[in-house]
Amino acid sequence: INWQTVKTYEDIVYEKMGGIAKITINRPHKRNAFRPQTVFELYDAFCDAREDIKIGVVLLTGYGPHTDGKYAFCAGGDQSVRGKAGYVDDNGIPRLNVLDLQRLIRSMPKVVIALVAGYAIGGGHVLHLICDLTIAADNAIFGQTGPKVGSFDGGFGASYLARIVGQKKAREIWFLCRQYSAQQALEMGLVNTVVPVEQLEIEGIQWAKEVLEKSPIAIRCLKAAFNADCDGQAGLQELAGNATLLYYMTEEGSEGKQAFLEKRSPNFHQYPWLP
Ligand code: 2NE
């Protein structure tokens, strides 16, 4: 495998080989959780891949294993930079810019394949969800955590998930915040296939090569057609992003984040289940 680095970033690695681009989130000490800077870099790399007429497939993955031996695709938003109205960038501005990235992955007329080893959790789970295809390593672990850490993704994270796994399962995933194995994810249609972790990239390249043999215009029209069926969810995503921003401003939302950072269970008992 002969990946060529395209551009050097702080939080990601961006490489190309033939018609394939590979974008790797590179914050293993945080289980590849993203801060605003990470998302800006991902957005920049995805834009480059979209513009490059030689690129037909993008592989999105997470660097691993970490020094403790654990793998992660992405553990969602970096809770240590979560402020009152989003994830705070170097200029002190709170952001939910991962929603822009979700829209770019969804709308770009190229095939995006998530290669998931280890944790795909929270906003990291939504990132794999939004990709066109997901190849899971046998050690992959999937789940949402929002209601535990004082967050939610009421856009694609809820509605698109329900389209994929069905309403009952999607509600279970969000309401209980459990973790699911690669095999369970395969059974619920959340991933396309499961392979041994050491074969993950090889499998991704193989799938990419098969796509690259096909007609670019047929593929772009098909992607647009699959999207069109769920396009109302794009509006929901914007509305839900605003609701998340407001929720982050509340004491109840902060309690979840604070509990994660303090490595304790959240105490939501003081907040009423309003009628
Ligand atoms: C991913 C998971 C389950 C892994 O558990 P484990 O036990 O393997 O690792 P550990 O010890 O929890 O994590 C290792 C280090 O990574 C940091 C941890 O704090 C820890 O740091 P140190 O104590 O070693 O210094 N880390 C992991 N995830 C992080 C994160 N998201 N932010 C900051 N630091 C993180 C376990 O780590 C976990 O449950 N992580 C949190 C998952 C989560 O709740 N993510 C946010 C969901 S909300 C979201 O993503 C979102 C949204 O809902 C709406 C819009 C945008 C984003």
Side-chain angles (χ1 to χ4, degrees), residues 12-251:
I12 70 168
V13 178
Y14 182 36
E15 298 159 297
K16 289 180 186 170
M17 179 181 54
I20 310 170
K22 183 170 75 149
I23 302 175
T24 307
I25 305 173
N26 188 21
R27 304 186 80 219
H29 58 294
K30 295 260 186 185
R31 301 283 184 249
N32 293 323
F34 53 78
R35 54 179 180 160
Q37 170 80 13
T38 321
V39 177
F40 282 129
E41 293 180 2
L42 287 165
Y43 196 91
D44 189 66
F46 269 103
C47 280
D48 177 88
R50 182 186 59 190
E51 295 303 316
D52 186 339
I53 60 170
K54 292 201 188 73
I55 295 296
V57 177
V58 182
L59 304 178
L60 176 63
T61 194
Y63 181 83
H66 182 42
T67 48
D68 64 3
K70 286 200 180 181
Y71 288 80
F73 172 74
C74 176
D78 185 333
Q79 299 304 295
S80 67
V81 298
R82 187 174 138 190
K84 274 272 166 224
Y87 299 87
V88 181
D89 70 14
D90 291 344
N91 299 316
I93 298 172
R95 297 181 181 277
L96 282 169
N97 56 345
V98 74
L99 303 184
D100 301 335
L101 178 65
Q102 290 178 2
R103 285 197 294 273
L104 175 58
I105 292 174
R106 193 178 138 81
S107 66
M108 65 189 289
K110 321 234 165 159
V111 176
V112 183
I113 306 177
L115 304 183
V116 178
Y119 293 106
I121 298 281
H125 185 258
V126 181
L127 272 186
H128 104 82
L129 184 75
I130 207 94
C131 291
D132 298 294
L133 302 165
T134 297
I135 302 177
D138 49 8
N139 68 356
I141 298 171
F142 299 87
Q144 297 295 159
T145 58
K148 247 181 8 191
V149 299
S151 186
F152 61 88
D153 183 335
F156 295 117
S159 52
Y160 192 48
L161 181 66
R163 276 294 173 102
I164 290 173
V165 302
Q167 284 279 344
K168 292 278 183 189
K169 204 71 198 176
R171 287 169 201 233
E172 175 191 312
I173 290 169
W174 274 103
F175 295 171
L176 277 68
C177 297
R178 288 185 180 172
Q179 294 181 351
Y180 300 85
S181 68
Q183 195 53 41
Q184 287 172 308
L186 184 65
E187 281 158 19
M188 62 175 112
L190 193 54
V191 304
N192 295 88
T193 191
V194 180
V195 298
V197 65
E198 54 283 355
Q199 238 169 278
L200 184 62
E201 183 168 308
I202 300 287
E203 190 73 13
I205 292 169
Q206 177 56 34
W207 283 51
K209 283 183 173 166
E210 286 183 42
V211 172
L212 290 169
E213 293 306 309
K214 311 299 184 294
S215 156
I217 292 199
I219 297 286
R220 76 182 284 139
C221 290
L222 282 165
K223 178 159 175 171
F226 287 123
N227 284 349
D229 184 44
C230 312
D231 262 353
Q233 295 174 1
L236 269 180
Q237 189 229 31
E238 287 197 42
L239 189 61
N242 296 330
T244 306
L245 183 157
L246 293 171
Y247 179 47
Y248 280 9
M249 292 177 174
T250 68
E251 213 182 77

Side-chain angles (χ1 to χ4, degrees), residues 229-275:
D229 184 44
C230 312
D231 262 353
Q233 295 174 1
L236 269 180
Q237 189 229 31
E238 287 197 42
L239 189 61
N242 296 330
T244 306
L245 183 157
L246 293 171
Y247 179 47
Y248 280 9
M249 292 177 174
T250 68
E251 213 182 77
E252 185 177 335
S254 292
E255 163 58 15
K257 173 199 71 171
Q258 213 46 45
F260 176 78
L261 294 177
E262 291 167 14
K263 298 187 189 289
R264 61 170 171 84
S265 296
N267 177 11
F268 290 118
H269 296 302
Q270 53 190 309
Y271 303 105
W273 294 84
L274 294 171

